[in-house]
């Protein structure tokens, strides 16, 4: 499959992908990535672990997905990995403040007050998300697991969310992959599809995250290639 995909790129005269997301074989304790070795003609290829798959590995440590705290746990797990782009958020806050002052006469609002008036769909439309960095994610994940592995991780029936022994084993195995999920520097993951200028506001971009090239037949290990298009998970 790898040889065939590389040949298709050669015949099409298309530059090789810069980035590939996989569900396994992103790295190795005994050398480089097995996936990168399969695509040996693409010497600049960066291999990353798909973040959804890493999150599902941690989800395997819960006692049941029907637990009352499963949803909050998964949302906080995502927050340990991703953050909003600070520049995009600042621009959205400025535009929102300008619109509130111009349309509704709401002046003198603090940044926190303006932020509370921005909905999740609004921030997702105008702001990019990025990974926090391996070191920051490790600290946040440790705190999250400790919190939900305590009395705070027990529901109203006294049932714990996490299987204590299992989640510790998962952490010991998966912590090495925190470097494998980070956004690679210099690779554009977002495609800007347009701009809107609210009345009395600043110009804001609207972004669309486009899936790149997917191999046409089932393969051992899901792979997603980034070429001229951009890929991003629906976070």
């Amino acid at each position: 499959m790898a040889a065939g995909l590389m040949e298709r790129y050669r015949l099409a005269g298309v530059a090789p992908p810069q980035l590939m997301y996989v569900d396994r074989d992103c790295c190795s304790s005994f050398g480089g990535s097995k996936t990168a070795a399969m695509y040996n003609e693409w010497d600049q290829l960066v291999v990353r672990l798909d973040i959804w798959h890493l999150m599902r590995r941690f989800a395997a440590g819960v006692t049941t997905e029907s637990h009352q705290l499963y949803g909050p746990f998964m949302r906080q797990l995502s927050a340990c990995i991703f953050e909003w782009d600070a520049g995009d958020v600042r621009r959205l806050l400025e535009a929102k403040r300008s619109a509130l002052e111009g349309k509704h006469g709401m002046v003198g609002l603090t940044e926190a007050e303006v932020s509370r008036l921005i909905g999740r769909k609004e921030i997702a439309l105008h702001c990019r998300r990025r990974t926090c960095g391996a070191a920051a994610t490790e600290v946040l994940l440790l705190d999250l697991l400790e919190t939900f592995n305590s009395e705070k991780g027990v529901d109203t029936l006294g049932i714990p969310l996490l299987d204590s022994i299992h989640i510790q084993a998962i952490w010991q195995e998966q912590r090495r992959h925190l470097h494998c999920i980070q956004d690679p520097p210099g690779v554009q993951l977002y495609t800007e599809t347009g701009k809107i200028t609210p009345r009395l506001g600043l110009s804001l971009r609207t972004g669309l995250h486009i899936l790149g090239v997917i191999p046409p037949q089932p393969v051992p290990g899901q792979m997603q290639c980034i070429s001229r298009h951009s890929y991003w998970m629906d976070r």
Side-chain angles (χ1 to χ4, degrees):
M1 189 279 296
L5 189 57
M6 289 187 290
E7 182 181 16
R8 289 170 63 182
Y9 270 78
R10 285 198 307 272
L11 294 176
V14 177
Q18 297 175 279
L19 177 62
M20 179 179 289
Y21 283 92
V22 298
D23 64 355
R24 64 179 185 180
D25 296 333
C26 52
C27 63
S28 172
S29 302
F30 309 101
S33 164
K34 293 181 181 179
T35 301
M38 290 172 57
Y39 294 87
N40 58 321
E41 294 181 18
W42 297 345
D43 55 356
Q44 300 300 313
L45 181 67
V46 176
V47 177
R48 287 289 187 265
L49 175 64
D50 187 289
I51 296 174
W52 183 84
H53 287 284
L54 180 70
M55 293 178 65
R56 291 305 306 163
R57 294 176 188 181
F58 278 100
V62 305
T63 54
T64 173
E65 293 188 4
S66 61
H67 196 282
Q68 296 171 3
L69 297 176
Y70 177 75
F73 173 74
M74 294 303 292
R75 285 192 294 273
Q76 291 182 49
L77 177 60
S78 177
C80 292
I81 299 172
F82 298 112
E83 64 183 5
W84 293 108
D85 182 273
D88 291 349
V89 172
R90 182 172 59 254
R91 191 170 183 83
L92 177 58
L93 284 169
E94 292 172 357
K96 188 70 171 182
R97 180 187 297 277
S98 179
L100 291 171
E101 291 176 352
K103 293 181 180 180
H104 306 289
M106 300 172 66
V107 298
L109 295 177
T110 65
E111 184 173 299
E113 289 171 333
V114 175
S115 181
R116 283 196 292 269
L117 294 173
I118 297 176
R120 181 169 180 80
K121 289 184 178 180
E122 195 171 6
I123 193 171
L125 177 64
H126 301 297
C127 302
R128 293 165 293 180
R129 296 188 80 176
R130 62 188 183 191
T131 50
C132 300
T137 293
E138 181 169 2
V139 172
L140 292 170
L141 276 176
L142 272 173
D143 182 66
L144 177 69
L145 296 179
E146 289 176 2
T147 298
F148 279 89
N149 206 22
S150 67
E151 66 277 1
K152 295 181 180 179
V154 177
D155 67 9
T156 54
L157 298 176
I159 300 173
L161 170 68
L162 300 179
D163 180 319
S164 182
I165 296 177
H166 193 192
I167 198 65
Q168 289 301 323
I170 291 173
W171 169 248
Q172 292 303 321
E173 173 62 25
Q174 300 303 323
R175 65 188 304 178
R176 66 187 177 94
H177 290 302
L178 298 183
H179 291 279
C180 303
I181 62 172
Q182 302 306 313
D183 297 338
V187 178
Q188 178 62 39
L189 297 174
Y190 278 79
T191 296
E192 184 178 314
T193 60
K195 290 185 178 181
I196 62 172
T197 305
R199 187 170 58 180
L200 300 177
L202 298 174
S203 175
L204 295 172
R205 62 173 151 232
T206 56
L208 177 66
H209 323 310
I210 305 176
L211 185 63
V213 180
I214 302 179
Q217 66 267 18
V219 297
Q222 177 188 7
M223 299 179 183
Q224 298 161 344
C225 305
I226 312 303
S227 53
R228 292 177 298 171
H229 296 297
S230 303
Y231 162 72
W232 200 247
M233 293 177 59
D234 181 10
R235 302 167 177 178

